[in-house]
Amino acid sequence: MSAAEETEIIIIGGGIAGAGAAFEISRTSKVVLLERESHCGYHTTGRSAASFTENYGNGIIRRIVLASRSFLTEPPAGFCDYPLLSKRGMITVARADQLDLLREDMEAAQALVPSIVAMTSAEAIARVPVLRADYLAGAYIEPHSMDIDVNGLHQGYLRGARARGARIVTNAGIKAIDRQGGQWRVETLAGAFVAPTLVNAAGAWGDEIAVMAGVRPIGLRPKRRTAFNIPAPAGVDISDWPLVNDVGAEFYFKPDAGQLFVSPADATPSAPMDAYAEDIDVAIGAERLGQATTIEVQRVSRSWAGLRTFVADGSPVVGPDDAVSDFVWLVGQGGYGIKTSPALSRVCASLIAGKGFPDDVTGQGVSMDDLAPHRLRGVKSGARQVAS
């Protein structure tokens, strides 16, 4: 058996979840982050829609986003070279047969985001002139929705973690995980590592990592989401357009570096894999865009897909396993991981340090029971926290 590098915390997965955790945990502990690919963020993190909205996801997700906003608005000194958030706005639109759903959705949204207000169809078309008057029956706007600089946030986490002494190891696919004498030993293609605490931030592969570690899986459900870019309409300045989102989760589109980013908002079950766009999903997205707008898709500049990973109740899973308390889950962000990462990273670090649940996250109405893995197994709360 090869000699192993000793550390205090091993994090598996270098996407936004693992990077954020490394940034926060390395404040007080020695961290090694292991990434199977040649660079961190290769999979879902690098394929995000880059949208910060407080009105997307279930109630727990939305409250975690509220707890994350201050970090994204005012990141720590030296964290990034440019602002992480930029003005965008988001209009949610509805056909005539969706008006009841729009009304219900807006009322629920306003309970958490009071700045959301109804728009007339004419007002929505004035903001996004390609919307069809014969399609659009109602709309509302979230004026303070933003674009997120995903790369700036991800690299800020990694850079900050390194500055605090964390080691980021790429090309480190996991070969085996063993636990003996209160220590985890992780064998990788880049060598072996030993630590008393293991953080599973492996995204769609989270259950596979758990099985390798002898931990009961939690039922992660990866789902493919497709996106593609098309040229902007000729002669039209789209730079100030908001993101346009269908209330029935059938499509959305937004400006993206001079082109339009379009998604059919698909959620196709998938095995953990390097996801790619299926032609049929791109065609569905183009058709839905054509129904709602005057845009006729003639050419797709680029298409891609990513995996959004959920558990049964749609909320993230963060915290020590109820049976193996030095195995810490940080998975199931469900496609909301970019905008929730500041709060979830702090939750993970606080629980590992034995400091309990952060007060500001509790203040938003989120408790440990909302995120802990025991909720998925019918186990009562009170699982022992990990102290590094």
Side-chain angles (χ1 to χ4, degrees), residues 186-380:
V186 182
E187 297 278 351
T188 82
L189 296 175
F193 303 85
V194 172
T197 300
L198 181 63
V199 177
N200 179 8
W205 289 265
D207 272 349
E208 293 185 1
I209 292 298
V211 170
M212 292 178 73
V215 174
R216 182 182 172 191
I218 55 173
L220 290 169
R221 304 172 180 177
K223 297 183 180 182
R224 188 178 69 243
R225 171 61 56 88
T226 304
F228 56 93
N229 282 135
I230 60 173
V236 177
D237 180 6
I238 67 170
S239 59
D240 290 333
W241 284 8
L243 185 152
V244 176
N245 172 56
D246 166 66
V247 72
E250 296 180 6
F251 69 88
Y252 53 89
F253 64 91
K254 59 174 275 190
D256 180 33
Q259 297 206 327
L260 274 182
F261 172 111
V262 185
S263 175
D266 50 326
T268 307
S270 171
M273 63 182 297
D274 185 2
Y276 60 91
E278 298 276 4
D279 289 345
I280 183 62
D281 293 321
V282 174
I284 289 170
E287 180 182 18
R288 292 174 178 174
L289 182 71
Q291 291 170 348
T293 75
T294 58
I295 297 171
E296 295 184 10
V297 177
Q298 302 293 334
R299 178 171 63 87
V300 173
S301 306
R302 184 172 72 96
S303 64
W304 65 96
L307 296 182
R308 306 161 74 242
T309 303
F310 299 82
V311 292
D313 63 9
S315 296
V317 184
V318 186
D321 186 82
D322 46 274
V324 186
S325 63
D326 49 13
F327 183 94
V328 180
W329 294 89
L330 181 56
V331 295
Q333 289 90 347
Y336 314 106
I338 308 297
K339 64 181 182 177
T340 60
S341 63
L344 293 184
S345 298
R346 287 188 293 106
V347 168
C348 184
S350 184
L351 294 176
I352 286 174
K355 296 181 179 179
F357 213 76
D359 288 342
D360 68 308
V361 182
T362 301
Q364 293 293 347
V366 181
S367 72
M368 184 172 176
D369 286 344
D370 293 320
L371 304 182
H374 69 73
R375 76 183 195 271
L376 303 169
R377 297 173 174 162
V379 178
K380 293 182 179 180

Side-chain angles (χ1 to χ4, degrees), residues 26 45 74 89 95 97 115 171 175 260 286 299 330 356 374 376 388:
S26 61
T45 295
E74 297 182 11
R95 305 181 302 263
D97 62 301
S115 60
N171 295 309
K175 297 165 57 180
L260 274 182
R299 178 171 63 87
L330 181 56
H374 69 73
L376 303 169
S388 60

Side-chain angles (χ1 to χ4, degrees), residues 67-264:
S68 297
R69 185 168 191 136
S70 61
F71 182 100
L72 296 170
T73 302
E74 297 182 11
F79 184 85
C80 51
D81 296 328
Y82 303 98
L84 294 174
L85 298 180
S86 55
K87 185 178 179 180
R88 176 60 58 200
M90 182 173 78
I91 293 177
T92 298
V93 300
R95 305 181 302 263
D97 62 301
Q98 296 174 312
L99 285 177
D100 287 344
L101 177 60
L102 183 76
R103 189 177 305 107
E104 294 170 5
D105 195 71
M106 185 176 70
E107 289 175 357
Q110 288 173 325
L112 285 178
V113 190
S115 60
I116 287 175
V117 293
M119 304 180 80
T120 65
S121 297
E123 288 170 335
I125 292 170
R127 290 291 303 274
V128 186
V130 293
L131 287 168
R132 290 184 181 274
D134 58 355
Y135 176 94
L136 189 63
Y140 68 78
I141 186 168
E142 181 185 352
H144 303 307
S145 174
M146 303 278 192
D147 280 344
I148 302 180
D149 181 351
V150 176
N151 186 64
L153 177 63
H154 188 227
Q155 293 302 316
Y157 284 145
L158 294 172
R159 185 169 52 247
R162 288 190 182 100
R164 293 169 177 166
R167 197 154 98 78
I168 315 297
V169 184
T170 56
N171 295 309
I174 308 300
K175 297 165 57 180
I177 303 174
D178 188 30
R179 184 171 179 264
Q180 293 183 351
Q183 294 276 97
W184 291 102
R185 181 184 177 93
V186 182
E187 297 278 351
T188 82
L189 296 175
F193 303 85
V194 172
T197 300
L198 181 63
V199 177
N200 179 8
W205 289 265
D207 272 349
E208 293 185 1
I209 292 298
V211 170
M212 292 178 73
V215 174
R216 182 182 172 191
I218 55 173
L220 290 169
R221 304 172 180 177
K223 297 183 180 182
R224 188 178 69 243
R225 171 61 56 88
T226 304
F228 56 93
N229 282 135
I230 60 173
V236 177
D237 180 6
I238 67 170
S239 59
D240 290 333
W241 284 8
L243 185 152
V244 176
N245 172 56
D246 166 66
V247 72
E250 296 180 6
F251 69 88
Y252 53 89
F253 64 91
K254 59 174 275 190
D256 180 33
Q259 297 206 327
L260 274 182
F261 172 111
V262 185
S263 175

